[in-house]
Amino acid sequence: MALDLVIRGGTVVDGSGKPRFTADIGIKDGRIAEIGKVTTAAARTLDADGLIVSPGFIDGHTHMDAQVAWDPIGSCSCWHGVTSVVMSNCGFALAPCKPSDREWYARCLSAVEDIPTEAMAAGIDWTWETFPEYLATVERLPKAINYGMYIGHSALRMYVMGKRALSEAATDDDMTRMARAVQEALKAGALGFSSSRASTHLTPDDTPVASRLAEWEEIDRIIGAMAELDAGIFQIGPDIGSGPRHRAFLERLRQVALATKRPIMFGVLSTKQGEDPTTWNYQTKYIDDTVAAGGRMFGQGTTRSINAIFSLKSYLPFDVLPAWKPIRALPLDEQKRRLRDPEVRRALVAAEGAMKPRDKTFQGGGAATTDPRKPDYANLFALKGVDWDDPTVEQLAERRGQHPVEVMIDLSLVDDNQIYVQPLVNESPEDVLGILRHDRTLATFSDSGAHVCQEMGSSLQTHFLSYWVRKRRAFTLEQAIKKLSHDNAVAWEMPGRGLLREGYQADIVLFEEDRIRPQLPTVEKDLPGGARRLVQKAEGIRATLVNGAVTFENGEATGVRSGIVLKGKLAS
């Protein structure tokens, strides 16, 4: 029987961590049928001579719940070798949702994750109410990558409790209904349940999101209901507002892990913000100790700092200042004309002195862009490349003999795509390296689909391969691909993915080992309704296959939509 496709002569890095080898890969009906010297006839051949052939990358921390409705290719993740994502993290989801609450859910996603409400209004045909109905909707949508999803705590709490979810503890009946809904979601195909205790997660009214109002008893009941079915992953955004709060959160989470034995995931982060911040190695040791005691636990790590991103086309740190507001409201060309006026420039530089001083309050990417403190110019980088070696605004100001604000104005006038990066967490490359090297910390956490003009983490996979493998040589290519594919597939319980093995789904990336890297991000107005977002593509990826079909070639979508919904083990 003829094959559908053969990948000929590539260097296979199979995701297991074992040494690479040269082989052909034959594909039939979306799966890998042969590995070795393939002589069976095929309808199509891809020449992989000189290329690395690896499993598709898996990103387990995204917020693409709204985007999947209008973006069939799954950008920006799709441009970085990602073939499968998990969305609905941190309790933020679009289901379950009563029709009367749709606007509020959209406003919450906009407030917390910077997903423009105009894009959601223009791009979503919101016909579902329950989680199973939402999952069925995503199944019907055209998709070039695979999507798994959680049922989200804030959405569920609002659905069950209404407005009480934003101010009250749940009653016994509320908790019973939530537990029942989570079990229903698992049986429909949810990968698990997500929640958040993060201090940065706020409603449009600047109050805690619904999940943060939940007592721990509520968490116990819901995860206990998952344990009754022996199914589901629990993902939660940690409270890292201060070191003591963070450590108290971890200790209480350990009780959930040991009582329920469900897999638990949370972000492992290093930060200099807040009072007495908890070190990354405290967190990784905590994971090891919990596992040694009988729990199941993973950390989610990034491959670089998590940043607030500024530019003339999106946010600048000075937008909140009265002198800047009217100028920033003008069309871009008119802004640039005004910024060239010496008198205007003097006023704008002087206005910076009135900014709020920096304090110990922990700020995520959202607040850092919409309610910024006076910049620490020694920790604000003018992005020139993607190798973590950019000059700071302070350095440029000293070289030029200018005020830092003048430096930023001048750079932005030369290139209105100039990006400025303020690391918020994982500021030190060596801390990131320590996190990545830990066996139970996953290389994921892109936040793809969220913070669309505030952060850009969707390129973490190509950054890992270009920076940590090729430039720093901190990982071999085999080790890095294992972390990006196999380890994530195991953690999210995705059988048949994450390795190049006969019988496995043919999610595959072909790339140039010496060239793969992210490109510089730009701000584009390509969302529904003309809303803006950061866009970042990659170099060096020759082709991406999803379920055996070529979905991208040379960075361009082929129009093939072979992605599916990835369901948990209880789905029929």
Side-chain angles (χ1 to χ4, degrees), residues 263-338:
I264 293 177
M265 299 182 180
F266 62 91
V268 172
L269 302 167
S270 170
T271 184
K272 298 174 184 176
Q273 295 191 80
E275 295 283 352
D276 187 23
T278 305
T279 63
W280 65 265
N281 46 6
Y282 178 101
Q283 297 166 63
T284 53
K285 183 178 184 300
Y286 158 84
I287 292 172
D288 288 341
D289 291 346
T290 301
V291 171
R296 299 166 66 186
M297 189 171 278
F298 298 93
Q300 295 183 351
T302 64
T303 66
R304 60 184 169 201
S305 53
I306 295 177
N307 312 302
I309 293 184
F310 300 95
S311 79
L312 189 63
K313 288 184 175 180
S314 57
Y315 300 95
L316 285 174
F318 323 110
D319 291 349
V320 295
L321 299 172
W324 281 78
K325 280 184 178 180
I327 293 175
R328 294 291 283 144
L330 297 170
L332 185 64
D333 287 345
E334 180 62 15
Q335 287 187 50
K336 292 164 73 173
R337 188 187 72 79
R338 298 290 303 276

Side-chain angles (χ1 to χ4, degrees), residues 18-280:
K18 295 178 181 177
R20 62 189 75 186
F21 57 94
T22 300
D24 305 330
I25 297 180
I27 297 167
K28 180 69 176 177
D29 296 332
R31 295 183 179 273
I32 298 172
E34 299 182 46
I35 301 179
K37 182 64 175 176
V38 176
T39 58
T40 309
R44 182 180 179 188
T45 297
L46 285 179
D47 180 7
D49 184 42
L51 300 177
I52 299 296
V53 181
S54 88
F57 307 139
I58 297 169
D59 188 352
H61 194 113
T62 79
H63 295 274
M64 299 171 79
D65 308 69
Q67 181 181 329
V68 68
W70 65 72
D71 177 12
I73 67 173
S75 60
C76 297
S77 293
C78 64
W79 293 313
H80 299 274
V82 172
T83 55
S84 298
V85 301
V86 181
M87 56 188 184
S88 319
N89 279 270
C90 299
F92 303 119
L94 296 178
C97 176
K98 295 173 182 175
S100 59
D101 290 331
R102 289 170 183 168
E103 181 183 354
W104 174 257
Y105 279 40
R107 288 178 60 212
C108 282
L109 278 175
S110 181
V112 177
E113 302 295 352
D114 191 37
I115 302 171
T117 52
E118 60 266 38
M120 287 184 273
I124 298 176
D125 181 15
W126 205 324
T127 58
W128 62 85
E129 177 169 334
T130 67
F131 178 89
E133 289 169 347
Y134 174 72
L135 185 147
T137 298
V138 178
E139 280 196 290
R140 290 191 296 268
L141 291 170
K143 302 171 289 296
I145 62 176
N146 304 312
Y147 292 86
M149 65 195 79
Y150 300 112
I151 180 170
H153 194 180
S154 284
L156 175 61
R157 208 167 195 267
M158 287 288 295
Y159 185 74
V160 169
M161 298 176 62
K163 292 183 179 179
R164 291 188 300 114
L166 298 170
S167 60
E168 297 180 13
T171 66
D172 185 74
D173 181 62
D174 292 332
M175 289 186 278
T176 298
R177 291 174 61 196
M178 281 188 266
R180 189 181 303 125
V182 169
Q183 290 186 332
E184 176 190 49
L186 292 173
K187 292 173 183 176
L191 298 183
F193 169 77
S194 70
S195 186
S196 174
R197 315 293 282 192
S199 60
T200 54
H201 290 163
L202 301 168
T203 72
D205 300 326
D206 205 32
T207 58
V209 295
S211 67
R212 290 178 56 197
L213 272 295
E215 303 285 349
W216 277 100
E217 180 189 359
E218 187 176 318
I219 299 288
D220 294 338
R221 288 277 292 275
I222 291 171
I223 309 307
M226 291 168 54
E228 289 175 11
L229 298 180
D230 189 28
I233 294 158
F234 177 35
Q235 182 275 330
I236 185 166
D239 180 359
I240 61 173
S242 73
R245 280 163 51 184
H246 191 185
R247 294 186 284 276
F249 162 85
L250 292 174
E251 284 309 308
R252 188 58 179 83
L253 188 64
R254 192 199 309 268
Q255 295 178 34
V256 180
L258 297 181
T260 66
K261 301 295 193 293
R262 296 315 308 153
I264 293 177
M265 299 182 180
F266 62 91
V268 172
L269 302 167
S270 170
T271 184
K272 298 174 184 176
Q273 295 191 80
E275 295 283 352
D276 187 23
T278 305
T279 63
W280 65 265

Side-chain angles (χ1 to χ4, degrees), residues 2 35 41 45 85 100 139 197 386 417 448 462 473 478 500 525 557:
I35 301 179
T45 297
V85 301
S100 59
E139 280 196 290
R197 315 293 282 192
V386 292
N417 283 311
S448 192
T462 50
R473 300 184 184 278
E478 290 84 352
L500 299 183
K525 292 185 175 181

Side-chain angles (χ1 to χ4, degrees), residues 16 61 64 74 107 119 123 138 218 301 328 341 420 434 436 459 470 519 531 539 541 562 566:
S16 68
H61 194 113
M64 299 171 79
R107 288 178 60 212
V138 178
E218 187 176 318
R328 294 291 283 144
D341 184 320
Y420 306 93
L436 284 174
S459 59
R470 192 166 64 240
Q519 296 177 357
E539 300 172 2
I541 297 182
S562 54
L566 303 174

Side-chain angles (χ1 to χ4, degrees), residues 199-200 240-241 273-275 358-364 367 373:
S199 60
T200 54
I240 61 173
Q273 295 191 80
E275 295 283 352
R358 304 198 69 79
D359 56 26
K360 289 290 188 179
T361 302
F362 181 87
Q363 283 193 309
R373 301 299 190 261

Side-chain angles (χ1 to χ4, degrees), residues 483-499:
K483 288 192 76 72
L484 293 171
S485 56
H486 169 266
D487 290 357
N488 289 338
V490 170
W492 273 278
E493 299 178 348
M494 298 179 182
R497 299 184 194 273
L499 290 172

